[in-house]
Structures are given as C-alpha cells and as structure tokens.
C-alpha cells in the first residue's frame, strides 16, 4: 500500500493538470477526459476536490452523463459537487432536474454559491419570476447575497419588464448590503431600469458608476435606442473615448427602426472612416436600411464591399448578411438576384427560405412561389402566413383557404396573421359564410382583438356586401391604425357612401392619424363612385400642399376617372397634360371608361388605341375598343379590332358571376350550359321577365355589341352571367334573404336596370359586386344612383 505522502503528491499533480482546463475552452473536455483516463489506467481513485473538479469540467462541457456518473460515485456529495452538477443541468436547459436537486439538498449544507447556481439557472432559462422568488427564499433562509447574486437576480428581473417596484426594492437592498460598488451589479441594475422604461433613473445610475466597462456603455446606449431616445443615445456615443462597435451598431439599428435612414447611412460611413471594425450586425442593419428606403444602388455597393473585404467569412457572418441581402434585392424587385445569392449560400436557415418565398409572392410570381414552398425542408408560422396571404392578394382565394386548412392539419395553430390571410381569401371569393366562420374562430381563440385580423375583417365584410358589419367592427375595435381607417373609408366608397367616406376621413385627422398615399387613393375612389367632382379636386391638391405626398399615376388616374364620369373631358385632358410623367394605362383606362359612359366615341377610340399600345397583351383594351366601334355602329372596325386580338394570340377573359348558396359557391358563365340547374334558371327568368316588363322594364339592346336581329339581342341579354346568378339565388335562397352576387367584370347597363325591377318584383335586396364597386338594389332603386 502506497504511503499517504505519495498519494498526496500524485493527487496534487492531477490537481495541477486539471487546473489547465480553466478557463473553460473547447479543449477543456478532451484534456479532462485524458487526465481522468490516466487516473483509471494507473489505478488512482480520485476523491474530494479532484472529483469535484472533474464534475465541474464535464458539466461546463455539456457532458452531463459523465458528470452525473462521477457524482453517483461519491457516498456523501458535498456542496461543491452538488453546485457543479446543478449548474451543469441549469446551463443545459434542464431546469426541472436542477430544481429537483436543489430541493433535495439539505438546508444545513447549502451556501450562497449554491443559491447563486440555481438563480443563474432560472435567469439563463428566462424564468425571471422564479429567479426573484428564489432570491426571496435565500433571504428568508438567512443566506447573505453577494455581488454575483445581485447581478444574476437583476438579470432575471430584467426579463420581467413591468416589475418597477421590485426593481427599486432590489436597488435599495444593493445599497444596504454594500454591493453597490461592483460594476457588474450596477450594470445589471441599469439594465433593469432600461427594460422598465425608466431612462432617467438608468442614466442617473450610469453616471454614478466609477469604473465603466464596455457593458456599461452598451447597456445605456441600447437602452436609449430601445426607448426611441436616439438623440440622447447619439450624444453618449459621440462622447465615448473608446469607439465601441456594439454601441455604433445599436445606433445604426435604432435609426433604421425609426426610419431615420439618412442618419443610419451616415453613421455607417463614419464607422468606416474612423476604422471601427464593421461586423455582421452593422452590415445587416445598413442593408436593411437600404431595403426599407429603396436605396438599391447603395445596397449593391455595400454588397460589393462585403465581397471585397470578407474573402473567407464565417457562417456566423455570412448567414445573416446574405439573408439581409436577399431581402434587399427582393424589395427592390430583383428577385432573381436574390435567388442567386440563396443558391450560392453554403448554409441556409428558415429565414433564408422565407425571404425568397416572400420575394416570389410579393412580385406576383405565384407559380414559382408555390414550387419553392413545396421544396422547403422546414416551415414555420411565417412560411404559412406568407403563402396564404400571397395567394389571397394575387386572386387565388380558394387555394389560400385550402392552404389555411392544410396548415391546421399539419399541426400548426394559426396565429392572427394566418387568419388575416384566410379572411382576405374570403374577400377575394366573396365567401361571406366562410368569413363569418373564421370570425367566430377568432373570437373563440381570443384573437378577435388582433389589429391585423380586424383590418382583414373590415375589408372582408365590405367586399362581401355587408358594409354595416364592417362599420360595426370598425367602431368596436380596441385599437385602430391607418390601415383600419383606410379599409373603412374604402368600404364606404365602394358601396357608394361617398359623403360618409369623406366625413370618416375628417374623423381620422381629428384622431391624430396621418393620411398616407393609400388614404388619398381611397378618398379619390369614394369621390369617383359618388360623383363628388369638387371634393376630388380639393383632396387631390391637399395631398402635396398639406401632407407633402407627391401624387402618383394612380392618384392622377382616380382624378381623371372622377372628371370623365362627370363628363368633364376638357378638364380631364388638362389634368393629363399637367402630369409630370407620361400617362400610363390606368389613366387611359379611366378616360376610356368615361367616354363609354357618355358616348364620346372619337375620344374613346383614341384612348383605347393608346391602351393597346401600352398593353398589347391585355384583353380588356381590345374588347373596349371593339365595343366603342360597335356603339358607334362601325361594325367592320369592331370586327377588325377583334381580329387583331386573335392574331396577337390574346384571349378574352370570359364574364363570370358567382353566388354562395348553402355554403357552396355556384359559378355561372355567359350563355351558360354547364351548371346542372341552368335550364331551371332560364325557365325562371322566362317567367320573371314578363312581370318586370309590366312594371316598365325594357331590355336595352344597345348593350349587345353584335350586329344581330333585335329578338336575338334580347335573348343574348338574358344569358348574361350576372342575371343567371341572381336568378339562381332568387330560386334557391329562403324568402326575404339578401341576394349577394359577384362578377369578375363590370356589370352591363341592361343587367343593372333589370336588377332594379327584380328587386321590386321579388321584394328582395340584391347586392352585386362587379370589378369596380358595389350596387345595392332595393325597391327598384340602386345605391349608386345610376352613377357608375
């Protein structure tokens, strides 16, 4: 048996070797394992402090199994081994096991370090409440907290943002225990005040720190940035003797967050000129700035600089920077450039995939988006939200609803944004009952107060013809933003309530909501639908004069539309001549629509010809030109226009109308022979039309733009898709139920007149949504006042 001196010598040698494992590095585990193996090989049985050190190294190396195996070899583990193993479980995220171990440790052997380890576990795992509760227990158990305790507890408290009183109580206790001179404690206390939004107290405490370190400056600067006090943050950064990159990064990020893009770019340039190391955080912030501000060329320059200066970037650098670049190029309509970056990335994450998917969807490239979505190795809630909303916004409402249901079937609980996308799909389809069901689900899940879902519901009810429900929802929403106001103004305008739309706009201003370009588009549309010529001029001029919003082509098109609908073609021509850019398709289309309404054939033909020049593959341009010729009786020219359309391979979109009956959508085409009940519909119309004629209805055959006999023209009129859909709904819906029909094209004049008589004969309200607006027919009157 070896002497005790020899054993002590060997133990000390092993202890010295284990000391090389500190501070903890990636090599610590390999070194500790080698030393441990040497002990086993030579028959040395470690005890006491050697076992504790091995447990500590294994635990900090995330080798919990090794650590626990050694721990189990100790007959009566002391507090040091218990602390090491408890901390290992905490750092690995297994707080439950750590807590169980803490509770099983007798109070008699606990010490302050043991409490600190458990408090650290709660803090690291973002359980601020448990962190504070254990600190209280520590005081009740009469253990004295030290600087590490306070630093850790305050770190936990920082995660419980609204506990202002606890913050001040802990501050007082820090002063009472004499740990207030430790910089680490004061930094943690500043962080808590920052998270509570108490920047005055945070700054006062910061100024009292005698020895400020990098964390001190970073905490107060990021605190000001997080609370949108950028000028105060900038004053601190400019006064720093040492230029800390993390503080400059925080400033750039803050400027971007607050849309102060020029200052963000200046800050980035100053970093470069002052030689401050530009890391991935600075690059992602300035690239995001370029993306949000539309600074494509500057963003491209930053990209080039990254390629030139970062020859072998690490994954931690390249992944976030490439993701930011993908977003930049997608937002600047360079989706193919973004895709090239994506394809060349050595490592991608879900952010990368979602960014490309968003790029395809926002560019309207739905087919590519669908394929890309199907190829994604993983999906999160954002993935589903992007695809569902994209389908709805691009007119694929039915597919959007199917995808929403697929999302649920694959185990994803839809959030309010997913519901907003599904509700938008119902808006596209006019699927009122589906929309109501989704609304009910929102209420059941407690998501009915969501702003995004509420805004989608306003639009859905309006586009499904129930503007009263939109208004009720708008009045009861707990919070409104500019999107809410815009949606409600647009809803009133679409339904012909122009005066109410303007009144709501004034209420919006009184509520302190600043209008944007979308607001003025909705206002001008409301004026157009209600014939408010004077008001349209006033609000058009107000845009730039009072709000500094430069009118775009879409605003000019709305104004031209208002003037042309009122027959003021000279004024419309003056507006077109005054435009600071060449008029596009939207302007000529507005002019053509007015010419068609007022029979201004010559000017209408000119507008249609310009439309064909600008949009040679758009079917509507040829159809409108042909119709203008037909209206003037120039049948040969009308035939030539249609021949030109055929020669260029342009196909006319067929008129189609649909109606929801008993939770099923029924679609009708012009001169339909496909719907299973269409013959019954024709028979129903044959019985209904004579009753309408007794009240004064006369089929207006001028809307049959074909050179055929009068009796044939009347038959053609009776086969329009909107007439078939309305007749079917009258047949199938319960007596007194409102009829709601949707059409993909503009309603024809004869159908508009016929529905007024149908509403009188049947004693029903008939609501028709065409490509432009809503028509509410009641008792032989239409809500548009025949101004459409």
């Amino acid at each position: 048996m070896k002497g005790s001196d020899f054993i002590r010598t060997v133990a000390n040698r092993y202890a010295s070797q284990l000391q090389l494992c500190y501070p903890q590095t990636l090599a610590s585990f390999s070194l500790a394992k080698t030393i441990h193996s040497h002990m086993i090989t030579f028959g040395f049985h470690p005890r006491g402090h050697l076992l504790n050190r091995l447990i500590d190294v294994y635990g900090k190396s995330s080798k919990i199994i090794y650590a626990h195996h050694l721990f189990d070899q100790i007959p009566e583990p002391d507090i040091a081994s218990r602390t090491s193993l408890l901390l290992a479980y905490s750092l690995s995220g297994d707080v439950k096991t750590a807590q169980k171990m803490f509770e099983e440790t007798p109070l008699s052997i606990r010490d302050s370090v043991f409490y600190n380890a458990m408090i650290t576990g709660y803090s690291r795992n973002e359980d601020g409440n448990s962190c504070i509760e254990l600190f209280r227990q520590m005081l009740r158990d009469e253990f004295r907290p030290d600087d590490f305790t306070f630093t850790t507890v305050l770190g936990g408290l920082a995660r419980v943002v609204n506990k202002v009183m606890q913050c001040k109580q802990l501050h007082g206790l820090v002063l009472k225990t004499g740990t207030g001179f430790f910089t680490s404690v004061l930094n943690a206390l500043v962080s808590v005040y920052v998270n509570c939004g108490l920047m005055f107290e945070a700054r006062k405490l910061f100024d009292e720190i005698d020895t400020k370190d990098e964390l001190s400056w970073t905490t107060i600067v990021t605190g000001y940035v997080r609370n949108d006090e950028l000028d105060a943050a900038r004053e601190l950064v400019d006064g720093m003797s040492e230029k800390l990159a993390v503080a400059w990064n925080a400033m750039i990020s803050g400027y971007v967050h607050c849309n102060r893009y020029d200052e963000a770019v200046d800050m980035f340039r100053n970093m470069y000129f002052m030689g401050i190391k530009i890391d991935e955080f600075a690059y992602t912030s300035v690239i995001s700035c370029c993306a949000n501000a539309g600074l494509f060329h500057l963003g491209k320059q930053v990209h080039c600089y990254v390629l030139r200066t970062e020859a072998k970037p690490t994954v931690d650098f390249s992944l976030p920077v490439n993701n930011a670049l993908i977003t930049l190029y997608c937002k600047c309509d360079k989706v193919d450039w973004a895709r090239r970056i994506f394809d060349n990335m050595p490592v991608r994450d879900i952010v990368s995939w979602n960014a490309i998917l968003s790029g395809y969807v926002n560019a309207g490239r739905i087919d590519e988006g669908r394929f890309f979505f199907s190829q994604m190795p993983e999906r999160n809630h954002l993935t589903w939200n992007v695809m569902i909303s994209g389908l709805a916004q691009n007119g694929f409402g039915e597919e959007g609803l199917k995808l929403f249901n697929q999302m649920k079937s694959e185990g994803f609980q839809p959030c309010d944004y997913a519901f907003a996308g599904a509700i938008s799909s119902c808006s596209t389809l006019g699927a009122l009952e589906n929309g109501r069901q989704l609304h009910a689900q929102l209420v059941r899940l407690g998501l009915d107060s969501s702003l995004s879902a509420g805004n989608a519901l306003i639009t859905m009810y309006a586009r499904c013809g129930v503007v009263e429900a939109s208004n009720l929802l708008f009045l009861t929403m707990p919070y409104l933003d500019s999107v809410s106001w815009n949606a409600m103004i647009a809803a009133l305008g679409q339904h012909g309530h122009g005066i109410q739309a303007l009144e709501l706009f004034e209420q919006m201003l009184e509520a302190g909501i600043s209008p944007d370009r979308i607001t003025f588009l909705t206002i001008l549309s409301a004026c157009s639908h209600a014939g408010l010529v004077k008001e349209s001029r006033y609000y058009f001029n107000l845009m730039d004069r009072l709000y500094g919003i430069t009118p775009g082509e879409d605003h000019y098109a709305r104004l031209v539309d208002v003037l042309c609908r009122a027959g003021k073609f000279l004024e419309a021509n003056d507006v077109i001549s005054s435009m600071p850019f060449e008029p596009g398709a939207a302007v000529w289309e507005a002019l053509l629509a007015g010419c068609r309404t007022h029979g201004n054939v010559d000017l209408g033909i000119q507008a249609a010809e310009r439309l064909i020049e600008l949009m040679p593959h758009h079917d509507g341009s040829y159809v409108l030109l042909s119709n203008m010729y037909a209206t003037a009786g120039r049948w040969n020219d009308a035939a030539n226009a249609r021949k030109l359309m055929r020669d260029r391979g342009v196909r006319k979109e067929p008129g189609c109308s649909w109606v929801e009956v008993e939770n099923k959508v029924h679609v009708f085409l012009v001169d339909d022979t496909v719907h299973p009940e269409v013959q019954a519909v024709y028979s129903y119309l044959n019985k209904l039309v004579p009753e309408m004629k007794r009240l004064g209805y006369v089929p207006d055959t001028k809307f049959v733009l074909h050179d055929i006999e009068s009796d044939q023209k009347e038959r053609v009129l009776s086969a329009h898709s909107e007439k078939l859909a309305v007749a079917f709904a009258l047949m199938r819906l319960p007596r007194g139920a409102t009829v709601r029909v949707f059409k993909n094209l503009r309603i024809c004049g004869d159908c508009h007149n016929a529905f007024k008589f149908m509403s009188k004969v049947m004693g029903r309200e008939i609501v028709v949504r065409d490509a432009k607006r809503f028509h509410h027919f009641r008792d032989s009157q239409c809500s548009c006042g025949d101004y459409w």
Side-chain angles (χ1 to χ4, degrees):
M1 186 174 180
K2 297 175 181 174
S4 59
D5 290 341
F6 178 75
I7 294 174
R8 190 179 300 109
T9 301
V10 173
N12 289 338
R13 185 179 298 120
Y14 281 129
S16 299
Q17 291 173 345
L18 285 173
Q19 191 63 37
L20 298 174
C21 298
Y22 297 92
Q24 194 79 15
T25 65
L26 293 174
S28 295
F29 169 66
S30 297
L31 179 57
K33 191 176 180 182
T34 301
I35 297 169
H36 190 190
S37 299
H38 193 276
M39 292 179 188
I40 296 171
T41 302
F42 286 92
F44 181 80
H45 300 287
R47 295 182 181 179
H49 69 287
L50 287 180
L51 279 175
N52 289 344
R53 287 198 179 183
L54 283 169
I55 290 170
D56 187 53
V57 175
Y58 286 150
K60 289 177 179 176
S61 302
S62 300
K63 305 299 179 182
I64 308 296
I65 296 176
Y66 287 98
H68 205 128
H69 177 71
L70 288 175
F71 181 83
D72 289 340
Q73 294 178 20
I74 306 174
E76 295 183 8
D78 61 11
I79 195 62
S81 57
R82 290 174 183 269
T83 301
S84 296
L85 189 60
L86 183 147
L87 189 59
Y89 279 117
S90 296
L91 296 178
S92 69
D94 189 356
V95 182
K96 285 187 177 180
T97 303
Q99 184 176 347
K100 183 174 181 291
M101 187 174 180
F102 179 87
E103 292 170 350
E104 291 175 349
T105 299
L107 183 64
S108 59
I109 67 170
R110 295 180 190 175
D111 60 12
S112 296
V113 178
F114 190 62
Y115 278 90
N116 290 349
M118 193 64 239
I119 291 171
T120 299
Y122 286 134
S123 182
R124 288 281 185 92
N125 289 277
E126 302 185 4
D127 189 353
N129 289 316
S130 296
C131 185
I132 296 163
E133 185 55 41
L134 184 58
F135 175 72
R136 287 173 173 159
Q137 182 184 334
M138 180 182 184
L139 297 178
R140 288 194 298 269
D141 293 340
E142 298 183 351
F143 288 93
R144 182 179 178 82
D146 55 17
D147 60 308
F148 187 83
T149 312
F150 281 112
T151 302
T152 310
V153 171
L154 289 166
L157 182 61
R159 304 180 191 282
V160 191
V161 182
N162 61 342
K163 303 295 184 181
V164 177
M165 185 58 68
Q166 288 179 342
C167 173
K168 293 189 175 181
Q169 288 173 348
L170 277 171
H171 190 175
L173 194 57
V174 164
L175 298 175
K176 185 177 178 180
T177 56
T179 53
F181 61 89
F182 288 100
T183 300
S184 61
V185 175
L186 295 175
N187 286 345
L189 197 52
V190 169
S191 178
V192 175
Y193 278 126
V194 163
N195 284 323
C196 290
L198 303 174
M199 288 310 301
F200 176 80
E201 289 83 352
R203 179 58 185 271
K204 182 180 178 183
L205 189 60
F206 170 81
D207 291 338
E208 293 173 358
I209 300 176
D210 292 328
T211 308
K212 299 179 178 67
D213 59 13
E214 181 175 332
L215 183 58
S216 310
W217 289 98
T218 302
T219 302
I220 192 67
V221 170
T222 54
Y224 276 127
V225 169
R226 203 179 304 162
N227 287 278
D228 293 337
E229 298 183 36
L230 296 182
D231 294 334
R234 183 61 182 270
E235 182 183 350
L236 269 176
V237 171
D238 289 342
M240 290 169 60
S241 56
E242 182 184 356
K243 303 303 181 184
L244 300 175
V246 66
W248 284 67
N249 291 345
M251 281 303 313
I252 295 172
S253 177
Y255 283 137
V256 174
H257 176 72
C258 293
N259 301 328
R260 293 166 64 170
Y261 302 127
D262 290 342
E263 290 161 288
V265 172
D266 287 342
M267 195 88 184
F268 181 79
R269 286 195 178 111
N270 290 338
M271 281 187 79
Y272 169 76
F273 289 124
M274 296 176 70
I276 301 173
K277 173 64 176 175
I278 300 176
D279 57 17
E280 65 270 24
F281 301 104
Y283 280 122
T284 53
S285 290
V286 78
I287 292 168
S288 297
C289 170
C290 295
N292 295 341
L295 303 173
F296 169 66
H297 293 293
L298 179 60
K300 193 165 64 168
Q301 290 172 9
V302 174
H303 187 187
C304 292
Y305 183 75
V306 171
L307 293 175
R308 192 169 68 249
T309 57
E310 301 290 338
K312 295 182 178 179
T314 63
V315 172
D316 289 339
F317 178 94
S318 63
L319 182 59
V321 172
N322 280 330
N323 287 343
L325 286 167
I326 288 172
T327 302
L328 164 73
Y329 289 128
C330 286
K331 285 190 174 182
C332 293
D333 297 325
K334 304 290 182 183
V335 181
D336 293 329
W337 292 25
R339 183 58 191 266
R340 281 198 291 273
I341 293 173
F342 176 85
D343 289 340
N344 291 321
M345 289 172 67
V347 176
R348 309 180 188 111
D349 60 8
I350 188 65
V351 177
S352 320
W353 287 86
N354 283 342
I356 290 290
L357 180 66
S358 298
Y360 281 134
V361 166
N362 293 334
R365 294 163 62 170
I366 293 297
D367 288 340
E368 291 164 284
R370 283 195 198 96
F371 180 76
F372 191 81
F373 178 82
S374 69
Q375 299 298 305
M376 292 180 69
E378 62 173 316
R379 297 167 184 162
N380 60 10
H381 278 87
L382 180 59
T383 313
W384 292 95
N385 296 346
V386 167
M387 200 65 219
I388 292 167
S389 298
L391 289 167
Q393 291 164 9
N394 287 276
F396 298 94
E398 185 175 356
E399 193 174 341
L401 286 177
K402 287 180 180 177
L403 197 64
F404 178 77
N405 291 328
Q406 182 185 338
M407 175 187 183
K408 292 193 291 184
S409 68
E410 292 191 15
F412 286 88
Q413 176 62 49
C415 63
D416 53 337
Y417 293 104
F419 271 102
I423 292 165
S424 297
S425 296
C426 295
S427 300
T428 303
L429 295 170
L432 177 60
E433 291 308 314
N434 273 349
R436 283 174 170 160
Q437 290 171 15
L438 290 170
H439 190 178
Q441 291 177 37
L442 279 170
V443 173
R444 190 173 68 251
L445 294 171
L447 298 174
D448 52 314
S449 61
S450 161
L451 185 60
S452 59
N455 292 341
L457 283 168
I458 290 174
T459 301
M460 185 276 293
Y461 280 120
R463 295 200 67 192
C464 289
V466 195
V467 71
E468 299 82 6
S470 294
N471 192 45
L472 179 62
L473 191 69
F474 177 82
L475 294 173
T476 55
M477 283 175 64
Y479 176 74
L480 300 171
D481 64 359
S482 60
V483 177
S484 317
W485 290 90
N486 291 348
M488 195 62 230
I489 292 169
L492 292 169
Q494 281 182 327
H495 287 266
H497 306 305
I499 298 298
Q500 293 94 317
L502 301 187
E503 290 173 351
L504 188 63
F505 174 74
E506 297 300 328
Q507 292 176 30
M508 174 182 174
L509 300 182
E510 291 172 6
I513 304 294
S514 298
D516 54 23
R517 66 183 314 277
I518 303 298
T519 311
F520 284 101
L521 278 176
T522 62
I523 284 293
L524 292 170
S525 294
C527 292
S528 176
H529 293 314
L532 303 174
V533 177
K534 180 180 177 182
E535 290 82 353
S536 68
R537 290 198 199 96
Y538 169 76
Y539 286 109
F540 182 86
N541 293 327
L542 193 69
M543 286 177 62
D544 188 31
R545 178 167 52 84
L546 191 59
Y547 296 102
I549 300 172
T550 303
E553 184 184 353
D554 43 3
H555 295 98
Y556 278 100
R558 296 291 200 285
L559 182 60
V560 169
D561 186 55
V562 177
L563 296 171
C564 289
R565 284 176 184 268
K568 298 181 180 297
F569 293 106
L570 290 177
E571 292 183 40
N573 190 58
D574 290 340
V575 169
I576 294 172
S577 301
S578 69
M579 288 171 60
F581 37 73
E582 285 295 313
V587 174
W588 294 114
E589 189 174 5
L591 180 62
L592 177 56
C595 291
R596 182 183 180 188
T597 300
H598 292 279
N600 192 332
V601 177
D602 292 335
L603 183 58
I605 290 172
Q606 293 177 32
E609 289 173 344
R610 290 300 302 273
L611 264 176
I612 290 175
E613 290 176 15
L614 293 169
M615 304 171 69
H617 299 290
H618 183 249
D619 64 321
S621 307
Y622 297 92
V623 173
L624 288 170
L625 178 60
S626 174
N627 291 350
M628 291 299 298
Y629 283 134
T631 301
R634 295 164 58 176
W635 300 108
N636 289 334
D637 291 330
N640 289 333
R642 291 183 179 271
K643 182 177 182 300
L644 179 63
M645 180 178 178
R646 289 193 299 272
D647 291 345
R648 292 183 175 179
V650 180
R651 298 184 62 183
K652 178 183 180 296
E653 180 184 5
C656 105
S657 301
W658 61 98
V659 60
E660 188 176 2
V661 174
E662 297 177 354
N663 293 325
K664 182 179 179 182
V665 176
H666 296 263
V667 181
F668 293 88
L669 300 175
V670 62
D671 201 19
D672 200 310
T673 59
V674 176
H675 192 279
E677 297 184 58
V678 72
Q679 295 305 321
V681 172
Y682 285 126
S683 298
Y684 185 86
L685 277 173
N686 289 336
K687 295 176 183 177
L688 184 59
V689 169
E691 296 183 49
M692 294 160 54
K693 287 182 175 179
R694 279 197 291 272
L695 292 179
Y697 167 64
V698 177
D700 195 343
T701 57
K702 74 179 181 184
F703 290 100
V704 180
L705 302 174
H706 300 280
D707 190 13
I708 56 179
E709 298 298 326
S710 296
D711 59 336
Q712 291 179 292
K713 288 185 176 182
E714 192 167 330
R715 189 197 65 78
V716 169
L717 288 173
S718 67
H720 281 190
S721 66
E722 57 264 54
K723 274 200 187 81
L724 299 177
V726 168
F728 176 77
L730 290 171
M731 284 171 47
R732 293 288 302 276
L733 288 174
R735 184 181 298 275
T738 300
V739 172
R740 292 186 174 87
V741 168
F742 305 87
K743 186 179 181 183
N744 63 330
L745 305 175
R746 193 169 182 263
I747 188 174
C748 97
D750 176 71
C751 289
H752 186 272
N753 190 38
F755 294 151
K756 289 194 288 187
F757 286 95
M758 283 186 188
S759 68
K760 180 70 173 178
V761 170
M762 302 302 298
R764 296 273 197 104
E765 180 183 3
I766 299 172
V767 181
V768 178
R769 185 187 91 188
D770 68 7
K772 296 294 183 181
R773 61 167 297 156
F774 276 89
H775 301 268
H776 293 256
F777 300 93
R778 296 188 189 93
D779 197 27
S780 75
Q781 300 295 319
C782 180
S783 59
C784 72
D786 295 335
Y787 190 86
W788 57 283

